[in-house]
């Protein structure tokens, strides 16, 4: 039986005060299993990115708990919180968030430098797998969008985090580079058993996942599981589209 690596328990997040209060999360609960590729989908404003940012400790929830390997991350402070952000999670941003004045190599190794780690022993392995050897000495302005995202992925993975949090990782990419990025993430999940939690509005990207949670008004309102090993990716994609059409009024409208 797979271990629960992440547990979200009755999570609330409110913005504003009194009559101007907006509830982004309304008691949301979910879990992520070790080695799982979990997708999070929902309309704009549904709470999916708020959920991811609470897990990343970029924002603090109003109430509820988030447990990583049984530890309440809301109680982390100082060095333990810094260690969680640097070693336990890897965050993959939609807009890459590379530092323009650093080369590809320097961007990848930045987490190791910040947290006082030796040059990671998986550096070359990541470079080879993500096919970014030719941009290690280039600055982000000299890279394509696909190269930037693969460099960002290497940075997120360099300290071997327990879980990868990916926020619309294909959102700023064309279809060719988006497919390449998803192939790489899927490979990390299948062959490295990396645990990935990905927010996406793209049914193509979501079809790489093993399970999808649909969020509406700050709570989970539907779950879809890929029937492995028998269900083909295309068939799972068709089921995703069907759910989106039934629950959201059509994929072009809200997802």
């Amino acid at each position: 039986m797979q271990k629960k690596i992440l547990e979200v328990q009755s999570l609330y997040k409110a913005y504003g005060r009194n009559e101007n209060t907006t509830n982004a999360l309304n008691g949301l609960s979910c879990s992520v299993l070790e080695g799982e590729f979990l997708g999070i989908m929902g309309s704009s404003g549904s709470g999916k990115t708020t959920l991811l940012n609470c897990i990343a400790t970029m924002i603090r929830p109003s109430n509820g708990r988030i447990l990583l390997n049984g530890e309440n991350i809301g109680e982390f402070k100082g060095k333990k919180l810094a260690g969680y952000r640097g070693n336990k999670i890897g965050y993959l941003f939609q807009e890459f968030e590379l530092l323009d004045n650093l080369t590809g190599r320097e961007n990848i190794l930045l987490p190791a430098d910040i947290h006082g780690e030796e040059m990671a022993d998986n550096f070359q392995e990541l470079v080879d797998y993500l096919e970014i050897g030719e941009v290690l000495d280039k600055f982000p302005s000299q890279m394509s969008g696909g190269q930037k995202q693969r460099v960002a992925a290497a940075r997120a993975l360099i300290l071997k985090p327990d879980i990868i949090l990916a926020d619309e990782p294909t959102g700023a990419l064309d279809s060719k580079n988006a497919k390449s990025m998803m192939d790489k993430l899927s490979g990390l999940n299948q062959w490295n058993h990396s645990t990935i939690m990905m927010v996406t509005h793209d049914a193509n990207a979501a079809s790489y996942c093993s399970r999808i949670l649909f969020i509406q008004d700050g709570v989970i309102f539907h779950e879809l599981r890929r029937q492995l090993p028998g269900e083909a990716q295309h068939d799972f994609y068709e089921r995703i589209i069907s759910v989106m059409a039934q629950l959201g009024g059509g994929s072009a409208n809200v997802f």
Side-chain angles (χ1 to χ4, degrees), residues 14-23:
Y15 296 98
R17 291 184 177 181
N18 302 323
E19 67 273 8
N20 294 319
T21 298
T22 299
N23 294 310

Side-chain angles (χ1 to χ4, degrees), residues 19 171 196 224:
E19 67 273 8
I196 304 172
L224 204 59

Side-chain angles (χ1 to χ4, degrees), residues 49 52-53 91-94 165-170 197-199:
T49 297
L52 209 67
N53 287 341
Y91 202 108
L92 187 55
F93 299 88
Q94 177 178 345
L165 305 176
D167 186 10
E168 301 278 9
T170 63
M197 184 177 187
M198 177 181 72
V199 163

Side-chain angles (χ1 to χ4, degrees), residues 97-104 106-107 110 137-141:
E97 304 298 337
L98 300 177
L99 296 183
D100 292 334
N101 61 334
L102 298 183
T103 64
E106 292 167 337
N107 267 288
L110 185 61
D137 297 316
K138 293 183 178 180
F139 293 97
S141 62

Side-chain angles (χ1 to χ4, degrees), residues 19-95:
E19 67 273 8
N20 294 319
T21 298
T22 299
N23 294 310
L25 297 174
N26 280 300
L28 185 147
S29 296
C30 65
S31 60
V32 184
L33 302 178
E34 190 173 43
E36 185 175 32
F37 194 165
L38 178 68
I40 306 290
M41 301 189 78
S43 60
S44 178
S46 62
K48 57 188 187 297
T49 297
T50 297
L51 170 62
L52 209 67
N53 287 341
C54 284
I55 296 168
T57 69
M58 293 169 67
I59 58 177
R60 181 179 289 273
S62 305
N63 210 339
R65 300 198 309 166
I66 301 170
L67 308 178
L68 184 76
N69 290 319
E71 289 192 275
N72 183 0
I73 69 171
E75 297 176 352
F76 293 176
K77 295 178 181 178
K79 289 185 177 180
K80 190 161 188 177
L81 179 58
Y84 169 79
R85 291 171 172 167
N87 297 87
K88 300 298 183 181
I89 60 169
Y91 202 108
L92 187 55
F93 299 88
Q94 177 178 345
E95 297 293 341

Side-chain angles (χ1 to χ4, degrees), residues 190-228:
Q190 291 181 41
W191 311 120
N192 251 21
H193 304 293
S194 298
T195 305
I196 304 172
M197 184 177 187
M198 177 181 72
V199 163
T200 185
H201 68 277
D202 181 0
N204 281 304
S207 69
Y208 285 81
C209 298
S210 53
R211 181 166 63 105
I212 299 170
L213 299 178
F214 294 86
I215 297 180
Q216 185 175 62
D217 299 327
V219 295
I220 305 296
F221 76 103
H222 193 73
E223 178 179 327
L224 204 59
R225 292 177 182 269
R226 187 172 174 186
Q227 297 166 2
L228 295 173

Side-chain angles (χ1 to χ4, degrees), residues 95-152:
E95 297 293 341
F96 324 128
E97 304 298 337
L98 300 177
L99 296 183
D100 292 334
N101 61 334
L102 298 183
T103 64
R105 184 192 309 275
E106 292 167 337
N107 267 288
I108 293 168
L109 292 173
L110 185 61
D113 293 337
I114 290 173
H115 295 281
E117 302 280 347
E118 294 293 328
M119 181 169 171
D121 58 7
N122 61 332
F123 174 78
Q124 193 58 50
E125 180 183 345
L126 285 171
V127 167
D128 292 343
Y129 177 71
L130 293 167
E131 301 178 281
I132 49 176
E134 74 276 15
V135 298
L136 291 180
D137 297 316
K138 293 183 178 180
F139 293 97
S141 62
Q142 300 170 305
M143 302 177 195
S144 69
Q147 289 169 334
K148 289 178 186 178
Q149 191 60 295
R150 281 179 279 140
V151 168

